[in-house]
Amino acid sequence: MLIVRILSAAAILILFAYGASAQTVPSENAWASEWGPDDERGAANRITPQKVLEATRLIKEGRIYELGRVYEAGMPLFPGRYYSLTIPGSPTGGPFGKNNLVYHDEIVSGQIGQVGTQFDGLGHIGTRINGEDIFYNGFKRSEFGTAVGLDRLGVENVGVFVTRGVLIDMAGYKGVDRLPVGTVITATDLQNALEQQSIELSEGDVVLIHTGHGLLWMVDNDEYNRGAPGIGVEAALWLAEKRVAMTGADTWPVEVIPSEDPELAFPVHQELIARRGIYNLENLNLSELAADKVYEFAFMFAPVKFKGATGSPGNPIAIR
Amino acid sequence: MLIVRILSAAAILILFAYGASAQTVPSENAWASEWGPDDERGAANRITPQKVLEATRLIKEGRIYELGRVYEAGMPLFPGRYYSLTIPGSPTGGPFGKNNLVYHDEIVSGQIGQVGTQFDGLGHIGTRINGEDIFYNGFKRSEFGTAVGLDRLGVENVGVFVTRGVLIDMAGYKGVDRLPVGTVITATDLQNALEQQSIELSEGDVVLIHTGHGLLWMVDNDEYNRGAPGIGVEAALWLAEKRVAMTGADTWPVEVIPSEDPELAFPVHQELIARRGIYNLENLNLSELAADKVYEFAFMFAPVKFKGATGSPGNPIAIR
Amino acid sequence: MLIVRILSAAAILILFAYGASAQTVPSENAWASEWGPDDERGAANRITPQKVLEATRLIKEGRIYELGRVYEAGMPLFPGRYYSLTIPGSPTGGPFGKNNLVYHDEIVSGQIGQVGTQFDGLGHIGTRINGEDIFYNGFKRSEFGTAVGLDRLGVENVGVFVTRGVLIDMAGYKGVDRLPVGTVITATDLQNALEQQSIELSEGDVVLIHTGHGLLWMVDNDEYNRGAPGIGVEAALWLAEKRVAMTGADTWPVEVIPSEDPELAFPVHQELIARRGIYNLENLNLSELAADKVYEFAFMFAPVKFKGATGSPGNPIAIR
Amino acid sequence: MLIVRILSAAAILILFAYGASAQTVPSENAWASEWGPDDERGAANRITPQKVLEATRLIKEGRIYELGRVYEAGMPLFPGRYYSLTIPGSPTGGPFGKNNLVYHDEIVSGQIGQVGTQFDGLGHIGTRINGEDIFYNGFKRSEFGTAVGLDRLGVENVGVFVTRGVLIDMAGYKGVDRLPVGTVITATDLQNALEQQSIELSEGDVVLIHTGHGLLWMVDNDEYNRGAPGIGVEAALWLAEKRVAMTGADTWPVEVIPSEDPELAFPVHQELIARRGIYNLENLNLSELAADKVYEFAFMFAPVKFKGATGSPGNPIAIR
């Protein structure tokens, strides 16, 4: 049909995927991994030693950018989550010994892998199909979910991201400080911005999208939480085609919220994490990278190996 | 005196410090930082862009070694600490939307910065002097300690370690799989092992000591916790002289426990962290590095920016 | 059949229930409540105003016995559970105002309804039947279980126990300080002990069984946790016939562990809580009641109304 | 002076206490307990067996009023506190055994003794005097405060409240549904309302004040938290003169907030808890008692024996 022929490949994918998923969800066998039936690492497999070396070669100045937010009381949180840090006693212990040593430690409590700067692992997002919850690579919740952690897809399996990072400065491309909540970033937007930045994506990249939404962090948390500018499904699938390892942004969902189709819940999470094993990194601070026009860099993030966890806190970094 | 003249500079330092501290603790003004009265970063200041580049140049193969332990129920813990991870519900939420999305998150609770692989920040260790607790750079607990985090020396100030890492394989040097609990590692031991490895230390290095004690992890937790082989004060001061940024080991205290002087509590912690701002990284897995004889590498660790925390979990890595 | 005719009613019940449950579990419709299809209170319905008055009349001296254990680090815990209490800061806040007020609060964390002295609510125990988990009154987990609490059978529905309490001093009856782990208490044992104590049970009673096992609390936690003397299924069903509101003991399970039939998991919990709505109160201190031969008393316990919780901590009391 | 002679004894006390405390805080020796230098129970000592019997005699109908709030997400909380309850897994464990038993438990976390319906113990409130924090009976924080609980004045020492309860319906007396935030309840108000109710206070009573503020609970949490109607210092001292065991209200502080003297922080807490060992019970639901005009009743509350805790959750009850 004409209508198909003039659509981009990505859009066809969407028609395929969403013509389907708008009415039903993908069947069970739509979740298979390209890395084999036992794979629990997903797109982290794209980070080969060669990719590490490619990233390393981008380090020219030795300057580090910290992309992680400070975890603190009062930071924006997804509804129902909490974060608490307290210092027991003061000091926590001591003085001990002739040397009068004292020490502090801390009690931390909360959805630690899913508050603040957070990394979404492959056990985070699944899909209910015929009464079973299917996760990445077809793993079934009934077979790996336990009260004390996931027996499959736990974040301890991911490994480490030392790879090429690419910043796509969408706010800069659009000439604004901050894209409004609900702004849909399309594949064309990404392509145009990349072209303007003279950057091309390659397999195994971590793609970070600067929207300016992060300016609201701890400044206007209500607006920050109300939604976000972000990629829609079409842009997500375009990134997936580029075989990236992870997407990230200075927003809490990376994808656009409200979703383009209001009847779908976090469809980009589902398409990238659950179907394709592509990770997601949320609540980043990308202001400095954007201000310095650092579009290509060595990216490093090592998820904390909480056994059976769905995500991880951390302080991802860019080095140029 | 003759006895002084034939001692190394390091040993003199010890006499000075410990002649003093064995009877009294250092006076308040002994804690000043070489980086100025406001410094909260300590030896992390030694990691300059040049040092980052030095580390980067060590990456030849792009191979990553994960040095962090898995955090899990049943891991060895310092007395009185706990670690809990649970998955609320199963799934935690959903199905949502026409796309039947479900999700998991986790509740993590415990002394998260001071369990498992752990990084000791500068707010962790202090000294009671005349009723006041003095921490790194003379900061007084009464002025920065609060119930909900430290107003000074919190781990969010540290920044990131991308630097040269050096493994000193003491077990290998001694020709054993595992040094017994209580083995004191001396400055001479370190020097000899380094010489055998043909490695020299330089300013800003992270020095990781492989003792083999890590073989007990999750295998014989009682023995693991009973004590540890490790550096004594004299070796610690020698490392401090080398102006390292951080020490680490495959043990829970890095320093030898029981201490050489049984009347002192964690004297190496006090000398390195509190007096000199040199960090400490505990409960590492160094087996693979040692097996592969990787003695020099790019080291990377970015503490989680828990505001006001004394430490951080994480997965430090070595890249060669 | 003859064999049926000479059995007691209770034994017939057992044959019925356990002839069945030894091979299969009861069918879904075996779980209906006698208090109607919407009931979430179970045997707490037996505590009528008349029963409260009956209990009140037992108060002759105004002497209170505290039956609750102190919750503390080091207390015996069911495997996998934890309990943590810390005091943030010291003080937690202040000084405030001209009056220099300071305050402390605490962070408590753990399976708070299921550690230490604990009350088992009706959402605690269920049975997997044909892939669905059936709880008291046929409520299905898939319909009431959520990540943040149970929508049905939460402990906030129970109300309050102000009722007649009866102590059955089994250790005293057997002439020992402590019944060994694994001792099965039979219906005949209960009957004989009650007869010796000149006590009869009546509907709505709370029946507390003194086994002496509590002597091990914080004295020999390993032995305490290894198992317990307690009622078997036959005794449980006899108590259920007496229409009691709750059973309790100075042990962690109240029922005998190991179970008589090693292939059954906590069958008394299932028979009393899940099938009959009869509550269970564990880890009591019954030493004083037994020592003073207080066999009949006003019993009071008001579960903490944690919404959607499966249990409650507390300090149940006896007043004579 | 004339001005003194015409003042009531209570007012003189106030002049004494507050003439003083407005400029300085009471000296260390002003905190001695009338129950001796080792006392850790305070006004709970007033609940004698005779008092228990007096309470018992008030039970005529056997009707129980639950005064405790449901603890739930979204309830009003003092700034900085949190409450979390989650159900790990679903179910948490099982199926086990041939009987396919499954179970749920819960993870509860937060300032459990100081959220929702809460009982303020004697370790909760102290006063900074010359650098030391003095609590009830002169106990010094430096001597009893530890990171893992208070060595003195912990809630496990309190015992149990089974005593006469008195409701003072101030909203009813004033002819309103709800007294506005900031309404000061005076000793005269209390006296007049009691007279209208034909009730007199006696030693060891628990006095609950119905202000109607509880109507805001979970309806308008912001207004609920903004302040409260409540007793001022003068009324508090009048109640102390009556030798009550505990005060309580359908508000979060019981005392009026903002305080009459804006430069004082929670002066009623200080006068009652810290100086006189009189307990405080907050966030009660008193609507039903007031609606039914139940002014005198048996009151029962048994704090959970969290070792070293400053407070306790619970479900206090009234029985008539």
Side-chain angles (χ1 to χ4, degrees):
Chain A
M1 293 197 312
L2 184 64
I3 191 169
V4 169
R5 263 181 281 155
I6 63 170
L7 286 171
S8 72
I12 290 174
L13 262 178
I14 299 165
L15 275 185
F16 175 78
Y18 272 74
S21 76
Q23 282 129 46
T24 65
V25 290
S27 64
E28 274 193 44
N29 49 21
W31 307 88
S33 164
E34 66 184 90
W35 296 280
D38 294 328
D39 180 64
E40 304 185 46
R41 297 189 62 225
N45 285 296
R46 290 176 176 147
I47 302 176
T48 59
Q50 291 68 33
K51 192 74 188 173
V52 173
L53 292 175
E54 180 190 340
T56 304
R57 284 191 293 268
L58 298 171
I59 303 176
K60 305 279 173 50
E61 302 178 20
R63 171 148 178 214
I64 297 171
Y65 292 79
E66 300 186 54
L67 311 181
R69 296 284 185 188
V70 173
Y71 298 76
E72 59 187 308
M75 66 180 168
L77 292 169
F78 192 75
R81 294 187 186 147
Y82 75 98
Y83 168 78
S84 168
L85 181 147
T86 50
I87 307 284
S90 189
T92 304
F96 297 118
K98 273 194 181 168
N99 53 335
N100 277 355
L101 180 134
V102 299
Y103 74 91
H104 282 136
D105 58 26
E106 54 269 307
I107 299 284
V108 181
S109 178
Q111 285 85 352
I112 299 299
Q114 299 291 345
V115 295
T117 295
Q118 66 199 258
F119 168 81
D120 287 350
L122 302 182
H124 183 43
I125 297 294
T127 307
R128 177 77 45 96
I129 301 173
N130 299 326
E132 176 63 88
D133 295 335
I134 306 295
F135 282 68
Y136 170 74
N137 208 2
F139 290 117
K140 298 175 178 175
R141 181 177 62 72
S142 65
E143 294 173 357
F144 73 82
T146 88
V148 292
L150 309 176
D151 283 345
R152 288 276 193 178
L153 305 179
V155 79
E156 74 275 15
N157 300 297
V158 173
V160 173
F161 296 83
V162 177
T163 188
R164 180 181 181 239
V166 168
L167 182 82
I168 303 181
D169 183 4
M170 286 311 305
Y173 172 73
K174 299 272 189 181
V176 297
D177 285 340
R178 176 170 73 79
L179 297 173
V181 167
T183 304
V184 180
I185 297 170
T186 65
T188 303
D189 289 332
L190 297 177
Q191 286 167 302
N192 290 345
L194 282 166
E195 195 173 340
Q196 195 183 57
Q197 295 176 187
S198 304
I199 298 278
E200 293 195 3
L201 298 184
S202 69
E203 181 168 351
D205 285 354
V206 166
V207 176
L208 307 182
I209 299 170
H210 175 248
T211 70
H213 191 68
L215 295 170
L216 299 169
W217 181 269
M218 295 292 282
V219 172
D220 184 348
N221 287 352
D222 286 347
E223 184 67 9
Y224 188 87
N225 272 339
R226 191 173 65 84
I231 52 175
V233 171
E234 176 247 11
L237 296 180
W238 182 80
L239 289 167
E241 263 192 340
K242 294 293 179 186
R243 306 180 66 75
V244 302
M246 177 151 65
T247 56
D250 54 352
T251 72
W252 57 269
V254 179
E255 68 179 288
V256 63
I257 298 291
S259 295
E260 294 167 282
D261 179 342
E263 295 191 318
L264 297 181
F266 296 95
V268 170
H269 275 64
Q270 200 171 36
E271 291 295 332
L272 294 189
I273 299 172
R275 294 196 68 181
R276 292 167 181 83
I278 294 173
Y279 295 91
N280 201 32
L281 194 50
E282 298 163 340
N283 292 324
L284 297 171
N285 179 357
L286 301 176
S287 299
E288 276 184 281
L289 278 185
D292 290 359
K293 300 187 189 304
V294 182
Y295 300 132
E296 194 183 17
F297 43 84
F299 173 87
M300 300 183 185
F301 176 62
V304 181
K305 298 174 93 66
F306 291 140
K307 189 173 186 176
T310 72
S312 172
N315 182 16
I317 59 170
I319 316 179
R320 70 164 178 182
Chain B
M1 293 197 313
L2 184 62
I3 191 169
V4 169
R5 263 180 281 155
I6 63 170
L7 287 171
S8 72
I12 289 173
L13 262 177
I14 299 165
L15 276 186
F16 175 78
Y18 271 75
S21 76
Q23 282 130 45
T24 65
V25 290
S27 64
E28 273 193 44
N29 49 21
W31 307 88
S33 163
E34 66 184 89
W35 296 280
D38 293 329
D39 181 65
E40 304 184 47
R41 297 188 64 224
N45 286 296
R46 290 176 177 148
I47 302 176
T48 59
Q50 290 70 31
K51 192 75 187 174
V52 173
L53 293 175
E54 179 190 341
T56 304
R57 284 191 293 268
L58 298 171
I59 304 176
K60 305 279 173 53
E61 302 177 20
R63 172 150 177 212
I64 297 171
Y65 291 79
E66 300 186 55
L67 311 182
R69 296 283 185 188
V70 172
Y71 298 76
E72 59 187 307
M75 66 181 168
L77 292 169
F78 192 75
R81 294 187 185 147
Y82 75 99
Y83 168 78
S84 168
L85 180 147
T86 50
I87 307 285
S90 188
T92 304
F96 297 118
K98 274 192 180 169
N99 53 335
N100 276 355
L101 179 133
V102 299
Y103 74 91
H104 283 136
D105 58 26
E106 54 268 307
I107 299 283
V108 181
S109 177
Q111 286 84 351
I112 299 298
Q114 299 290 345
V115 295
T117 295
Q118 66 199 260
F119 167 80
D120 287 350
L122 302 182
H124 183 43
I125 298 292
T127 307
R128 177 77 46 95
I129 301 173
N130 299 326
E132 176 63 89
D133 295 335
I134 306 296
F135 283 68
Y136 170 74
N137 208 2
F139 290 117
K140 299 175 178 174
R141 182 178 62 73
S142 65
E143 293 172 359
F144 74 81
T146 88
V148 292
L150 309 176
D151 283 346
R152 288 276 193 177
L153 305 179
V155 77
E156 74 276 16
N157 299 298
V158 173
V160 174
F161 295 84
V162 178
T163 188
R164 179 181 183 239
V166 169
L167 182 82
I168 303 181
D169 183 3
M170 285 311 306
Y173 172 74
K174 300 273 189 180
V176 296
D177 285 341
R178 176 170 72 78
L179 297 174
V181 166
T183 304
V184 180
I185 297 170
T186 65
T188 303
D189 289 332
L190 297 177
Q191 286 167 303
N192 289 345
L194 282 166
E195 194 172 340
Q196 195 183 56
Q197 295 176 189
S198 302
I199 297 279
E200 292 195 4
L201 298 184
S202 69
E203 181 168 353
D205 284 353
V206 166
V207 176
L208 307 182
I209 299 170
H210 175 248
T211 70
H213 191 69
L215 294 171
L216 300 169
W217 180 270
M218 295 293 280
V219 172
D220 185 347
N221 287 352
D222 286 346
E223 184 67 9
Y224 188 87
N225 272 340
R226 190 173 65 84
I231 52 176
V233 170
E234 176 247 11
L237 295 180
W238 182 80
L239 289 168
E241 262 193 341
K242 294 293 179 185
R243 306 180 65 76
V244 302
M246 178 152 66
T247 57
D250 54 352
T251 72
W252 57 269
V254 179
E255 69 179 287
V256 62
I257 298 291
S259 296
E260 294 167 283
D261 179 342
E263 296 192 318
L264 297 182
F266 297 97
V268 171
H269 276 65
Q270 201 171 36
E271 291 295 332
L272 294 189
I273 299 173
R275 294 197 69 181
R276 292 167 181 82
I278 295 173
Y279 295 91
N280 200 33
L281 194 50
E282 297 163 340
N283 293 325
L284 297 172
N285 179 356
L286 301 177
S287 299
E288 276 184 281
L289 278 186
D292 289 0
K293 300 187 188 304
V294 181
Y295 300 133
E296 195 183 17
F297 43 84
F299 173 88
M300 300 183 186
F301 176 61
V304 180
K305 299 175 91 67
F306 290 141
K307 188 173 186 173
T310 72
S312 172
N315 183 15
I317 59 171
I319 316 180
R320 68 164 179 182
Chain C
M1 292 197 312
L2 185 63
I3 193 171
V4 168
R5 261 181 281 156
I6 63 170
L7 288 170
S8 72
I12 290 172
L13 263 176
I14 300 164
L15 275 185
F16 174 79
Y18 271 75
S21 75
Q23 284 131 44
T24 65
V25 292
S27 64
E28 273 193 43
N29 50 21
W31 307 88
S33 163
E34 66 185 89
W35 296 280
D38 293 329
D39 181 64
E40 303 184 47
R41 296 190 62 224
N45 286 295
R46 290 176 176 147
I47 302 175
T48 60
Q50 291 68 33
K51 192 73 188 176
V52 173
L53 293 175
E54 180 190 339
T56 304
R57 283 190 295 266
L58 298 171
I59 303 174
K60 305 281 173 53
E61 302 177 20
R63 171 149 177 212
I64 297 171
Y65 292 79
E66 300 186 55
L67 311 181
R69 296 282 184 189
V70 172
Y71 298 76
E72 58 187 308
M75 67 180 168
L77 293 169
F78 192 74
R81 293 187 185 148
Y82 75 98
Y83 168 79
S84 167
L85 181 146
T86 49
I87 307 285
S90 188
T92 304
F96 297 117
K98 274 194 180 169
N99 54 335
N100 276 357
L101 179 134
V102 298
Y103 75 90
H104 283 135
D105 56 27
E106 55 268 308
I107 299 284
V108 181
S109 178
Q111 286 85 350
I112 300 298
Q114 299 290 346
V115 295
T117 295
Q118 66 199 259
F119 168 80
D120 287 351
L122 302 182
H124 182 44
I125 298 293
T127 307
R128 178 76 46 95
I129 302 173
N130 299 327
E132 175 64 90
D133 295 335
I134 306 295
F135 282 68
Y136 169 74
N137 208 4
F139 290 117
K140 298 175 177 175
R141 182 176 62 72
S142 65
E143 293 173 359
F144 74 81
T146 88
V148 292
L150 310 175
D151 283 345
R152 289 277 194 177
L153 304 177
V155 78
E156 74 276 16
N157 299 296
V158 173
V160 173
F161 295 83
V162 178
T163 187
R164 180 182 182 239
V166 169
L167 181 82
I168 303 181
D169 183 5
M170 286 310 306
Y173 172 74
K174 300 272 188 180
V176 297
D177 286 341
R178 177 170 71 80
L179 297 174
V181 166
T183 304
V184 180
I185 298 171
T186 65
T188 303
D189 289 332
L190 296 177
Q191 285 168 304
N192 290 346
L194 283 166
E195 194 172 341
Q196 195 184 57
Q197 295 176 189
S198 304
I199 297 279
E200 293 194 1
L201 298 183
S202 69
E203 181 168 353
D205 285 353
V206 166
V207 176
L208 307 181
I209 300 169
H210 175 247
T211 69
H213 191 69
L215 294 171
L216 299 169
W217 181 268
M218 295 292 280
V219 172
D220 184 348
N221 287 353
D222 286 346
E223 184 66 10
Y224 188 86
N225 271 341
R226 190 174 65 85
I231 53 176
V233 170
E234 176 247 11
L237 296 179
W238 182 80
L239 288 168
E241 260 194 342
K242 293 295 179 185
R243 306 180 64 74
V244 302
M246 178 151 67
T247 57
D250 53 353
T251 72
W252 58 269
V254 179
E255 68 179 288
V256 62
I257 298 291
S259 295
E260 295 168 282
D261 180 342
E263 296 193 316
L264 297 182
F266 297 95
V268 170
H269 276 65
Q270 200 171 37
E271 291 295 332
L272 294 189
I273 298 172
R275 294 197 67 181
R276 291 167 181 84
I278 294 173
Y279 295 91
N280 201 32
L281 195 51
E282 298 163 340
N283 292 326
L284 297 171
N285 180 357
L286 301 176
S287 299
E288 277 183 282
L289 278 185
D292 289 0
K293 301 187 188 306
V294 181
Y295 301 132
E296 195 183 16
F297 45 84
F299 172 88
M300 299 181 187
F301 175 62
V304 180
K305 298 174 92 67
F306 290 139
K307 188 173 187 175
T310 71
S312 172
N315 183 15
I317 59 171
I319 317 178
R320 69 166 180 181
Chain D
M1 293 196 312
L2 184 61
I3 191 169
V4 168
R5 262 181 280 154
I6 63 170
L7 287 170
S8 73
I12 290 173
L13 262 176
I14 299 165
L15 276 185
F16 175 78
Y18 271 75
S21 75
Q23 283 130 46
T24 64
V25 291
S27 64
E28 274 195 43
N29 50 21
W31 307 87
S33 163
E34 66 184 87
W35 295 280
D38 293 329
D39 181 64
E40 304 185 46
R41 296 189 64 224
N45 286 296
R46 290 176 177 147
I47 302 176
T48 60
Q50 291 69 33
K51 192 73 188 175
V52 173
L53 293 175
E54 180 190 340
T56 305
R57 283 191 294 268
L58 298 171
I59 304 175
K60 305 280 172 55
E61 301 177 20
R63 173 152 176 209
I64 296 171
Y65 292 79
E66 299 186 55
L67 311 181
R69 296 283 184 188
V70 172
Y71 298 76
E72 58 187 308
M75 67 180 167
L77 293 168
F78 192 75
R81 293 187 185 149
Y82 75 99
Y83 168 78
S84 167
L85 182 147
T86 50
I87 307 285
S90 188
T92 304
F96 297 118
K98 273 193 180 169
N99 54 335
N100 275 356
L101 179 133
V102 297
Y103 75 89
H104 283 136
D105 57 27
E106 55 268 307
I107 299 283
V108 182
S109 178
Q111 287 85 351
I112 299 298
Q114 300 290 346
V115 295
T117 295
Q118 65 198 259
F119 168 80
D120 287 350
L122 302 182
H124 183 43
I125 298 293
T127 307
R128 177 77 45 96
I129 302 173
N130 299 327
E132 176 63 270
D133 294 335
I134 306 295
F135 282 68
Y136 170 74
N137 208 3
F139 290 117
K140 298 174 178 176
R141 182 177 62 73
S142 65
E143 293 172 0
F144 74 82
T146 89
V148 292
L150 309 176
D151 283 345
R152 289 277 194 176
L153 304 178
V155 77
E156 74 276 17
N157 299 298
V158 173
V160 174
F161 295 83
V162 178
T163 188
R164 181 181 181 240
V166 169
L167 181 82
I168 303 181
D169 184 4
M170 286 310 306
Y173 173 72
K174 299 272 190 180
V176 296
D177 285 341
R178 176 170 73 79
L179 296 174
V181 166
T183 305
V184 180
I185 298 171
T186 65
T188 303
D189 289 332
L190 296 176
Q191 286 167 303
N192 289 347
L194 282 166
E195 193 173 340
Q196 196 184 56
Q197 294 176 188
S198 304
I199 297 279
E200 292 195 1
L201 297 183
S202 69
E203 181 168 352
D205 285 353
V206 166
V207 176
L208 307 181
I209 300 169
H210 176 246
T211 70
H213 191 70
L215 295 171
L216 300 169
W217 181 268
M218 295 292 281
V219 172
D220 184 348
N221 287 352
D222 286 346
E223 183 67 9
Y224 188 87
N225 271 340
R226 190 174 65 85
I231 53 176
V233 170
E234 176 247 10
L237 296 179
W238 182 79
L239 288 167
E241 261 194 340
K242 293 294 179 186
R243 305 181 64 76
V244 302
M246 178 152 64
T247 57
D250 53 352
T251 72
W252 56 269
V254 179
E255 68 179 289
V256 62
I257 298 290
S259 296
E260 294 167 283
D261 180 342
E263 296 193 317
L264 297 182
F266 296 96
V268 170
H269 275 64
Q270 199 171 38
E271 291 295 332
L272 294 189
I273 298 172
R275 295 197 67 181
R276 290 168 182 83
I278 295 174
Y279 295 91
N280 200 33
L281 195 50
E282 298 163 339
N283 292 325
L284 297 171
N285 179 356
L286 301 176
S287 299
E288 277 184 281
L289 278 186
D292 290 359
K293 301 188 187 305
V294 182
Y295 301 132
E296 195 184 16
F297 44 85
F299 173 88
M300 299 180 187
F301 176 62
V304 180
K305 299 174 92 67
F306 290 139
K307 188 172 186 175
T310 72
S312 172
N315 183 15
I317 59 171
I319 316 177
R320 69 164 179 182

